């Protein structure tokens, strides 16, 4: 393609074959570097920080998940990932050590024996001496190298989606992207209400009412509606059938969180029950692997969910590999160090936020879960699990709804916090989650990004910076002719000391103008 190259192996052998290894070696220039998401083992949520490392400094004991982005000494960027990962193990890269500027492939071996750890993590206790046992007649995953002259090209590039297997569902009109009111990040903290908040019927009625008032398509019932290890042991404080009826009356869909192990144990029964209740989707969590067995589990979930008209959001997952082209009910997935980490760490900084659009998001949709209404400067931030906040400004959070791609996009904070902010909801209620056209207006990995996206006749622009304050002059020449009304949410004059400070304003603009 004009924006990248890819290759794959195609075999034509009788019966089944065991693939013992697949070798990929990338020999680079001595001064090349890489945005490298370190991994410590194959048991991983793929929620890594991206560090810019000299390739010659990477030891042969270091490996990373994908995508990774190579920075050539001449300024070109090369994003490395894979697509059409089906019935095979996921690809990792490792260093060669000894000062060599060489990256090598590495794959998780096939699991032979597994053991459940606590109530949700399935660890591998014995592995085979091969990475896949598969059909002898087949096409293997694409090894993808997207080439970008400008950093913003990585955001506009959809080569991973293009290389996914074509659509395998017969009918897709039931697949509805949208926004989601989410309970877990805000720890079900509701206030100014007449009942005790928690994982109970009254609280979820409140979430559903909030979603209905603001035309938010979905509410997630996250951990707690059932026993995590048993989807048929329901929380006695929740009237599930009553809540589904309540949500249906208010035109709000319910998405149910499940652990991958509990779903796998009784998949058919569980999905049949969800369909009977009227659920619209499932959020499947804690896979934490991408060996061949687990990769096949993803496809099985996609197929079985589609049979029952259920959307899928994969958490505790590996990166996208084009599966949403093949099974478009798979709307989004995690595999990203997202805003949840602000509940227990200081990792989610504005710099991290402006690395992700060029690295992890290159592979496809990412469920970062934006929308924090308690915003903090670097000095004032504290990780508080039950009353979380974000680093950076309020408008930094709003911009994520335009910059970050996720057809199922969370509103992570409490309905009580959003209800205090009617002007904010005037943006969050109508902002789309899918787009007709994307243009990157300015971009530098780890520094800043401005993305313009079109939906129908409306344009949305999101701009984010790291901790460094910046002003930009943006040409509006991407607009069609005529007059437009610009509604702007901008950092307030005191946002550097009180991060939630913002100003909303409106004015008329033309495509010939610079803002």
């Amino acid at each position: 393609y004009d924006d990248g190259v890819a290759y794959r192996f195609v075999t034509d052998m009788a019966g089944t074959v065991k693939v013992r290894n697949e070798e990929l070696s990338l020999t680079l220039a001595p001064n090349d570097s890489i945005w490298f998401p370190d991994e410590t083992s194959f048991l991983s949520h793929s929620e890594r920080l991206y560090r810019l490392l000299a390739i010659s400094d990477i030891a042969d004991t270091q490996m990373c998940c994908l995508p990774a982005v190579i920075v050539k000494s001449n300024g070109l960027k090369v994003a490395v990932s894979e697509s059409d990962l089906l019935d095979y193990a996921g690809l990792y890269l490792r260093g060669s050590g000894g000062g060599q500027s060489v990256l090598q492939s590495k794959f998780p071996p096939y699991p032979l024996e597994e053991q459940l750890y606590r109530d949700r993590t399935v660890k591998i206790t014995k592995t085979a001496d091969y990475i896949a046992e598969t059909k002898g007649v087949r096409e293997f995953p694409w090894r993808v190298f997207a080439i970008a002259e400008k950093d913003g090209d990585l955001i506009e590039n959809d080569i991973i989606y293009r290389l996914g297997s074509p659509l395998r569902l017969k009918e897709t009109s039931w697949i509805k992207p949208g926004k989601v009111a989410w309970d877990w990040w805000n720890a079900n903290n509701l206030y100014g209400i007449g009942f005790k908040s928690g994982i109970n019927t009254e609280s979820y009625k409140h979430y559903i009412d909030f979603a209905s008032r603001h035309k938010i398509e979905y509410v997630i019932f996250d951990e707690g509606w059932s026993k995590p290890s048993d989807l048929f042991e329901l929380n006695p404080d929740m009237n599930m059938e009553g809540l589904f009826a309540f949500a249906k009356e208010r035109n709000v869909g319910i998405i149910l969180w499940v652990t991958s192990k509990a779903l796998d144990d009784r998949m058919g029964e569980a999905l049949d029950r969800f369909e009977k209740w009227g659920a619209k989707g499932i959020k499947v969590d804690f896979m934490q692997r991408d060996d061949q067995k687990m990769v096949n589990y993803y496809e099985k979930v996609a197929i079985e969910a589609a049979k029952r008209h259920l959307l899928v959001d994969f958490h505790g997952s590996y990166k996208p590999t084009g599966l949403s082209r093949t099974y478009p009910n798979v709307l989004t997935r995690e595999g990203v160090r997202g805003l949840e980490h602000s509940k227990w760490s200081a990792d989610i900084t504005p710099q991290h936020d402006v690395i992700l659009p060029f690295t992890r998001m290159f592979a496809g949709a990412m469920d970062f879960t934006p929308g924090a209404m308690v915003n903090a400067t670097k000095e004032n931030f504290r990780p508080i699990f039950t009353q979380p906040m974000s680093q950076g400004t309020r408008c930094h959070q709003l911009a994520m709804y335009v910059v970050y791609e996720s057809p199922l996009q969370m509103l992570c904070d409490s309905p009580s916090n959003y209800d205090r902010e009617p002007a904010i909801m005037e943006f969050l209620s109508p902002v789309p989650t899918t787009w007709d056209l994307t243009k990157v207006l300015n971009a530098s990995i780890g520094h800043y990004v401005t993305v313009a996206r079109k939906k129908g006749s409306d344009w949305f622009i999101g701009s984010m910076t790291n901790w460094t304050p910046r002003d930009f002059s943006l040409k509006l020449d991407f607009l069609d002719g005529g007059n437009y009304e610009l509604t702007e949410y901008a950092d307030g004059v005191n946002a550097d000391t009180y991060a939630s400070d913002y100003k909303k304003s409106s004015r008329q603009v033309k495509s010939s103008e610079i803002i």
Side-chain angles (χ1 to χ4, degrees):
Y1 296 102
D2 290 345
D3 55 4
V5 296
Y7 73 86
R8 74 188 319 174
F9 291 103
V10 180
T11 55
D12 186 6
M13 293 181 274
T16 60
V17 296
K18 287 181 179 175
V19 181
R20 307 219 174 259
N21 194 20
E22 178 190 336
E23 293 186 5
L24 162 62
S25 180
L26 299 176
T27 303
L28 294 150
N31 294 328
D32 290 349
S33 54
I34 186 170
W35 289 98
F36 194 83
D38 289 272
E39 288 284 6
T40 55
S41 80
F42 289 125
L43 183 70
S44 173
H45 288 260
S46 301
E47 298 173 8
R48 316 310 294 180
L49 292 173
Y50 277 83
R51 296 190 297 149
L52 185 60
L53 304 177
I55 292 172
S56 57
D57 289 343
I58 301 173
D60 58 2
T61 55
Q62 286 179 271
M63 72 172 184
C64 75
C65 57
L66 299 178
V69 176
I70 295 166
V71 181
K72 296 289 294 173
S73 53
N74 64 4
L76 287 177
K77 308 296 191 300
V78 183
V80 183
S81 199
E82 61 182 330
S83 185
D84 211 25
L85 174 60
L86 299 170
D87 194 28
Y88 201 68
L91 170 65
Y92 294 71
L93 294 178
R94 65 171 178 85
S96 293
Q100 298 181 76
S101 297
V102 180
L103 298 170
Q104 309 276 359
S105 56
K106 191 171 183 177
F107 295 87
Y110 189 85
L112 294 176
E113 295 179 6
E114 303 170 344
Q115 183 175 348
L116 180 64
Y117 177 70
R118 294 181 177 168
D119 66 349
R120 63 195 65 183
T121 297
V122 179
K123 294 185 174 181
I124 307 303
T125 56
K126 184 178 180 181
T127 61
D129 62 351
Y130 53 87
I131 61 175
E133 184 171 9
T134 185
K135 294 177 291 184
V137 179
R138 64 162 295 177
E139 298 171 328
F140 287 83
W142 289 103
R143 288 31 187 122
V144 184
F145 308 88
I147 301 167
E149 293 185 79
K150 305 187 300 292
D151 290 5
D153 295 343
L154 295 169
I155 297 173
E156 295 183 8
N157 191 313
D158 68 351
I159 191 171
I160 300 296
Y161 181 89
R162 257 178 278 157
L163 291 170
S165 285
L167 176 67
R168 292 184 183 173
L169 303 183
K170 291 181 179 178
E171 208 273 316
T172 59
S173 63
W174 56 272
I175 299 172
K176 306 292 185 186
K179 292 186 290 292
V180 187
W182 186 31
D183 53 353
W184 183 85
W185 190 84
N186 58 75
N188 297 80
N189 268 320
L190 301 171
Y191 55 88
I193 53 177
F195 56 89
K196 185 65 177 173
S197 66
I199 304 174
N200 57 47
T201 298
E202 287 302 312
S203 293
Y204 282 106
K205 281 187 173 181
H206 190 85
Y207 278 88
I208 292 165
D209 268 334
F210 165 77
S212 180
R213 277 188 281 115
H214 295 288
K215 295 182 171 55
I216 294 166
E217 290 84 354
Y218 302 104
V219 168
I220 274 187
F221 292 5
D222 212 289
E223 181 170 356
W225 68 269
S226 75
K227 185 178 179 181
S229 59
D230 186 350
L231 300 176
F232 289 82
E233 189 172 328
L234 303 183
N235 181 344
D237 294 331
M238 292 186 66
N239 177 354
M240 295 299 286
E241 291 187 355
L243 283 166
F244 275 99
F246 186 80
K248 185 177 181 180
E249 289 173 5
R250 284 152 180 78
N251 199 30
V252 174
I254 294 175
I255 295 171
L256 296 171
W257 177 89
V258 299
T259 63
S260 60
K261 176 67 166 61
L263 180 64
D264 201 27
D265 286 344
R266 299 171 72 177
M267 187 177 296
E269 290 176 86
L271 295 180
D272 285 346
R273 174 182 257 197
F274 300 165
E275 181 184 26
K276 183 179 178 182
W277 277 343
K280 299 301 181 184
I282 52 176
K283 176 182 173 182
V284 190
D285 205 350
F286 287 94
M287 286 75 69
Q288 306 174 95
R289 296 167 16 213
D290 59 355
D291 51 65
Q292 183 191 19
K293 184 175 181 181
M294 186 56 76
V295 167
N296 288 346
Y297 174 80
Y298 278 65
E299 186 176 18
K300 178 183 177 183
V301 169
I303 292 169
E304 293 301 316
K307 288 178 182 176
R308 298 159 177 88
H309 287 191
L310 294 171
L311 308 172
V312 181
D313 176 4
F314 286 120
H315 268 231
S317 64
Y318 61 86
K319 79 282 182 187
T321 57
L323 191 68
S324 61
R325 181 183 180 195
T326 317
Y327 304 102
N329 59 315
V330 178
L331 285 184
T332 192
R333 67 174 72 191
E334 198 178 27
V336 62
R337 186 164 295 207
L339 198 66
E340 68 174 15
H341 281 258
S342 63
K343 288 164 70 78
W344 57 79
S345 80
D347 286 346
I348 309 305
T349 64
Q351 182 181 21
H352 173 72
D353 299 341
V354 292
I355 292 171
L356 292 178
F358 309 93
T359 52
R360 162 59 183 83
M361 199 176 78
F362 163 75
M366 60 180 194
D367 195 10
F368 180 89
T369 71
M373 290 293 102
V374 180
N375 316 108
T377 62
K378 186 187 300 185
E379 294 76 18
N380 293 338
F381 175 80
R382 301 291 183 275
I384 303 174
F385 192 86
T386 54
Q387 291 191 20
M389 64 187 78
S390 70
Q391 297 185 65
T393 69
R394 169 70 57 79
C395 291
H396 185 82
Q397 288 290 306
L398 298 186
M400 292 175 179
Y401 287 87
V402 181
V403 175
Y404 289 173
E405 177 193 349
S406 184
L408 200 62
Q409 190 73 277
M410 304 289 160
L411 274 69
C412 70
D413 219 321
S414 166
S416 300
N417 284 347
Y418 291 123
D419 281 336
R420 291 193 311 179
E421 303 269 9
I424 293 295
M425 292 312 299
E426 288 171 10
F427 169 74
L428 290 181
S429 292
V431 65
T433 64
T434 59
W435 309 94
D436 301 328
L437 187 62
T438 294
K439 290 183 177 293
V440 179
L441 305 185
N442 59 46
S444 176
I445 300 178
H447 298 101
Y448 55 83
V449 61
T450 306
V451 178
R453 299 192 193 261
K454 189 179 186 184
K455 183 72 170 186
S457 60
D458 295 332
W459 281 90
F460 292 76
I461 302 173
S463 194
M464 300 163 63
T465 180
N466 56 16
W467 285 120
T468 303
R470 287 185 166 86
D471 292 296
F472 293 114
S473 295
L474 301 179
K475 294 181 179 180
L476 299 182
D477 55 4
F478 57 88
L479 299 173
D480 296 326
N483 296 318
Y484 289 79
E485 182 178 3
L486 169 68
T487 302
E488 184 176 59
Y489 292 79
D491 287 335
V493 67
N494 294 305
D496 60 328
T497 54
Y498 184 77
S500 295
D501 187 30
Y502 74 94
K503 181 181 179 182
K504 181 188 176 189
S505 60
S506 296
R507 65 182 188 271
Q508 297 292 314
V509 296
K510 297 180 178 179
S511 60
S512 58
E513 291 184 35
I514 296 175
I515 59 172

